[in-house]
Amino acid sequence: MSLLTRSVLRAASTQPAAVAPAQARNMATLREIELRLKSVRNIEKITKSMKMIASTKLAKAQRAMRAGKEYGVANSEVFANTPSDKPTPNKLFLVVSSDKGLCGGIHSSVTKATRKALVGHPESPLPADTEVSKESPISVIGDKSKSQLVRQWASNYSITFNQIGRDIPTFADAAGVADLIIKSGVQFDSVVLVYNKFVSAISYEAAVMEVKGEEALKESSAFNAYENEDDATKDLVEFSLANAIYAALVEGHACEQSARRNAMDNASKNASDMISTLTMQYNRGRQAAITNELVDIITGASAL
């Protein structure tokens, strides 16, 4: 490198960098705020539309839930009157979730409840004296909870389902799930459905519903009081499982729509607050730019 080149580079490094005029900086900042305002307004329109759609779907889901819960009540009465002394540690956990998001922590709720039940946590949704094997198989309805549970319990997975309950669940959907579980060859003493229980339009909680298997029913003294053929017992188990799955699906669907409506309502409120803040920043910056321009004009006029 020549002496002339080194002197030129030294002079360039010591020369202060060019500073943009204050007016240009203000215009750039205002332009950025304006673009962000436009983006947040578009998001607010989307969230408000999704809230309206979820509100409409929630009304339909609640009607279906009221009809479908009768299936679960009938199941509970049957198994309440058929106690069995045989322990059922090998439980098949059927987690009722869905494939859709944007609905808050609706999927995490059943995932956490399943984990607590499998490890025997004090806050487990199962009764305190329930015996659960850590090798109990897991079946999941919906991709959301499947992706959450697979990290820790991948070896316990037996069969998973998706594309169920995209609209209001039907008994045919539940019967198809029950049929596939029975035909999958998975060995279990009972099926524990983990689902979201509808409390109100703004709240839900994780709950469980247990359906006994064929062997547990056969060993029940109350059930043995009647002369039943093996085929009849097997059909009763499959029908009871379909009833329970249908009741859990419709109630979980209502919880999902309620959670989605609340999530979109909160998102709309947050977007509205952000719009107010950005509008105030934009107005302040615009007023500051106008004030600077007036000061420049007055200063120039005074110098003449």
Side-chain angles (χ1 to χ4, degrees):
M1 184 180 294
S2 63
L3 180 62
L4 178 60
T5 304
R6 286 198 296 270
S7 62
V8 171
L9 291 176
R10 190 181 302 110
S13 62
T14 56
Q15 185 177 359
V19 180
Q23 184 178 357
R25 292 201 304 272
N26 288 336
M27 291 301 293
T29 304
L30 289 176
R31 181 61 178 167
E32 292 172 359
I33 295 176
E34 188 177 3
L35 290 174
R36 194 173 181 189
L37 263 173
K38 183 178 180 181
S39 175
V40 175
R41 286 195 181 104
N42 291 335
I43 292 174
E44 185 186 29
K45 291 178 182 178
I46 294 171
T47 54
K48 283 185 175 179
S49 300
M50 294 183 69
K51 177 189 171 183
M52 293 176 61
I53 294 171
S55 298
T56 304
K57 289 185 176 181
L58 176 60
K60 296 180 180 178
Q62 284 180 312
R63 289 194 295 269
M65 179 190 66
R66 284 191 288 269
K69 286 178 72 172
E70 299 298 328
Y71 290 80
V73 172
N75 259 19
S76 300
E77 291 179 357
V78 170
F79 293 112
N81 295 317
T82 56
S84 176
D85 297 332
K86 180 184 177 181
T88 57
N90 187 27
K91 302 179 184 296
L92 169 63
F93 285 87
L94 179 58
V95 184
V96 181
S97 176
S98 74
D99 305 329
K100 297 181 181 179
L102 298 176
C103 49
I106 195 80
H107 307 301
S108 300
S109 174
V110 291
T111 301
K112 291 178 181 178
T114 305
R115 288 173 178 163
K116 291 177 180 178
L118 285 168
V119 300
H121 194 273
E123 297 180 359
S124 170
L126 293 171
D129 57 346
T130 304
E131 185 180 356
V132 180
S133 172
K134 291 187 177 180
E135 286 76 27
S136 294
I138 299 175
S139 182
V140 184
I141 299 176
D143 291 334
K144 292 297 181 180
S145 290
K146 174 186 174 182
S147 61
Q148 294 173 357
L149 286 170
V150 74
R151 304 167 191 168
Q152 186 178 359
W153 305 96
S155 59
N156 294 53
Y157 270 29
S158 58
I159 183 172
T160 59
F161 307 89
N162 57 11
Q163 305 296 325
I164 293 178
R166 295 179 65 88
D167 199 0
I168 297 177
T170 62
F171 187 79
D173 296 332
V177 172
D179 184 59
L180 288 174
I181 290 175
I182 297 296
K183 292 181 179 179
S184 65
V186 180
Q187 300 297 322
F188 57 86
D189 299 321
S190 64
V191 179
V192 178
L193 287 90
V194 187
Y195 65 102
N196 285 303
K197 182 180 179 181
F198 189 87
V199 179
S200 68
I202 59 174
S203 63
Y204 56 88
E205 62 183 8
V208 295
M209 185 189 308
E210 187 169 2
V211 180
K212 295 179 182 178
E214 185 178 355
E215 295 300 325
L217 276 181
K218 287 180 178 180
E219 296 192 8
S220 171
S221 57
F223 193 76
N224 287 332
Y226 304 94
E227 295 182 1
N228 295 298
E229 298 180 359
D230 292 343
D231 292 341
T233 305
K234 184 178 180 181
D235 293 341
L236 175 61
V237 170
E238 185 172 353
F239 184 67
S240 300
L241 180 58
N243 282 347
I245 293 173
Y246 178 59
L249 280 174
V250 292
E251 194 158 3
H253 181 71
C255 292
E256 180 184 348
Q257 296 301 333
S258 173
R260 181 172 290 110
R261 188 193 67 173
N262 295 332
M264 293 302 103
D265 184 39
N266 293 332
S268 299
K269 290 178 181 178
N270 292 337
S272 179
D273 294 340
M274 189 176 291
I275 288 172
S276 300
T277 303
L278 290 174
T279 302
M280 186 177 295
Q281 291 180 0
Y282 179 80
N283 291 337
R284 285 178 179 176
R286 186 168 173 270
Q287 188 63 41
I290 294 173
T291 303
N292 290 335
E293 291 178 1
L294 290 175
V295 169
D296 293 340
I297 293 172
I298 295 171
T299 302
S302 300
L304 295 177

